[in-house]
Amino acid sequence: EIQHRFHRDSQERRWGEEEDDEVGHNGAENSAWGQHWTARKAAASTLDNLAERFRNEILPMLLPHIEKRLTDSNWEVVESGVLALGAIARGCMNGLEEYLPNIMDMLLKHCQSPQPLLRTISCWSCTRFSAWIVGARNKQSELVLRAVLKCLLERILDRNKSVQEAACSAFATLEEEARGRLVPYLDDIVGTLVKAFDYYQAKNLLVLY
């Protein structure tokens, strides 16, 4: 099941969705996703279930559509492709393995996007591939782990609250897979979390705990 950690209501924050608490262009707080079941959530859930059931069999049908979205000039279309990629990650991990170095590079790039929603979904999607990031079959595992961790720590201190929350959740997912391999990075991790305690407002302080 695709689900963020640390959230108050698992039905409100699933399939890579986060509230965007940043003040929008109209001066009001922008809740982009809402708190109700949506077609988007249903589609992501369905992709996840299909990937878990049919595994790599669905890739020939899905990948051309996902690739088309990921190369679109509209960031919102790109974001939907990133969501789809994260949705199928665990079920289709083996079939995607040859593409994962390029996929991870792309996701890390999108984690730096000017668009908060694209940063949010990219953090989530990155760590859907945590098993590969730290796995023995990834010959560049240490380099990839370092790059992903660096990116997530930067996003934990993002100015956007929804990105902060997504990055914390993604870090928790990565930590569960990486475990002791994060020990060499403890200084950076602890330093970032200390800054976050000073930086976060009440809502996201709960995420840190």
Side-chain angles (χ1 to χ4, degrees), residues 111-134:
C111 284
Q112 312 295 329
S113 169
Q115 301 296 336
L117 299 183
L118 187 50
R119 298 201 300 276
T120 295
I121 202 68
S122 297
C123 287
W124 171 79
S125 190
C126 269
T127 53
R128 290 280 289 175
F129 295 101
S130 289
W132 173 81
I133 291 171
V134 301

Side-chain angles (χ1 to χ4, degrees), residues 13 18-22 24 28-35 117:
R13 302 290 185 82
E18 297 284 344
E19 283 185 10
D20 182 4
D21 293 323
E22 187 173 69
E29 286 192 351
N30 179 19
S31 181
W33 304 123
Q35 299 182 352
L117 299 183

Side-chain angles (χ1 to χ4, degrees), residues 56-117:
N56 301 331
E57 293 178 40
I58 66 173
L59 289 178
M61 293 172 281
L62 274 181
L63 285 182
H65 296 286
I66 293 177
E67 183 178 7
K68 183 178 180 180
R69 288 183 169 273
L70 292 174
T71 57
D72 199 276
S73 59
N74 185 332
W75 73 266
E76 291 175 307
V77 176
V78 173
E79 193 271 349
S80 71
V82 173
L83 172 62
L85 194 58
I88 67 171
R90 292 179 180 173
C92 298
M93 187 84 69
N94 289 338
L96 290 170
E97 187 172 5
E98 64 179 296
Y99 309 110
L100 284 178
N102 289 334
I103 287 173
M104 199 57 55
D105 286 344
M106 176 203 66
L107 292 176
L108 292 176
K109 177 182 175 182
H110 289 320
C111 284
Q112 312 295 329
S113 169
Q115 301 296 336
L117 299 183

Side-chain angles (χ1 to χ4, degrees), residues 8-206:
R8 296 186 302 274
D9 186 336
S10 63
Q11 292 299 318
E12 293 178 3
R13 302 290 185 82
R14 297 168 68 185
W15 304 296
E17 303 206 5
E18 297 284 344
E19 283 185 10
D20 182 4
D21 293 323
E22 187 173 69
V23 175
H25 295 300
N26 60 0
E29 286 192 351
N30 179 19
S31 181
W33 304 123
Q35 299 182 352
H36 305 289
W37 187 253
T38 64
R40 171 189 168 86
K41 293 179 181 180
S45 176
T46 301
L47 278 178
D48 181 36
N49 290 332
L50 286 172
E52 291 286 354
R53 171 63 180 83
F54 294 103
R55 303 290 174 174
N56 301 331
E57 293 178 40
I58 66 173
L59 289 178
M61 293 172 281
L62 274 181
L63 285 182
H65 296 286
I66 293 177
E67 183 178 7
K68 183 178 180 180
R69 288 183 169 273
L70 292 174
T71 57
D72 199 276
S73 59
N74 185 332
W75 73 266
E76 291 175 307
V77 176
V78 173
E79 193 271 349
S80 71
V82 173
L83 172 62
L85 194 58
I88 67 171
R90 292 179 180 173
C92 298
M93 187 84 69
N94 289 338
L96 290 170
E97 187 172 5
E98 64 179 296
Y99 309 110
L100 284 178
N102 289 334
I103 287 173
M104 199 57 55
D105 286 344
M106 176 203 66
L107 292 176
L108 292 176
K109 177 182 175 182
H110 289 320
C111 284
Q112 312 295 329
S113 169
Q115 301 296 336
L117 299 183
L118 187 50
R119 298 201 300 276
T120 295
I121 202 68
S122 297
C123 287
W124 171 79
S125 190
C126 269
T127 53
R128 290 280 289 175
F129 295 101
S130 289
W132 173 81
I133 291 171
V134 301
R137 295 176 64 174
N138 177 9
K139 302 305 181 184
Q140 301 295 318
S141 179
E142 198 59 42
L143 291 175
V144 177
L145 175 60
R146 189 182 306 128
V148 172
L149 180 61
K150 179 178 182 293
C151 178
L152 292 181
L153 294 180
E154 289 174 352
R155 297 283 66 81
I156 285 174
L157 298 178
D158 198 280
R159 64 182 295 270
N160 181 275
K161 293 179 184 178
S162 68
V163 179
Q164 294 169 6
E165 190 170 358
C168 287
S169 179
F171 172 75
T173 300
L174 181 65
E175 182 272 333
E176 288 180 2
E177 290 285 349
R179 297 183 179 271
R181 291 185 58 183
L182 294 181
V183 170
Y185 308 104
L186 282 178
D187 285 347
D188 290 336
I189 293 169
V190 172
T192 297
L193 296 181
V194 168
K195 289 179 182 177
F197 272 112
D198 290 335
Y199 183 53
Y200 281 16
Q201 296 179 5
K203 175 185 172 183
N204 277 357
L205 281 174
L206 295 174

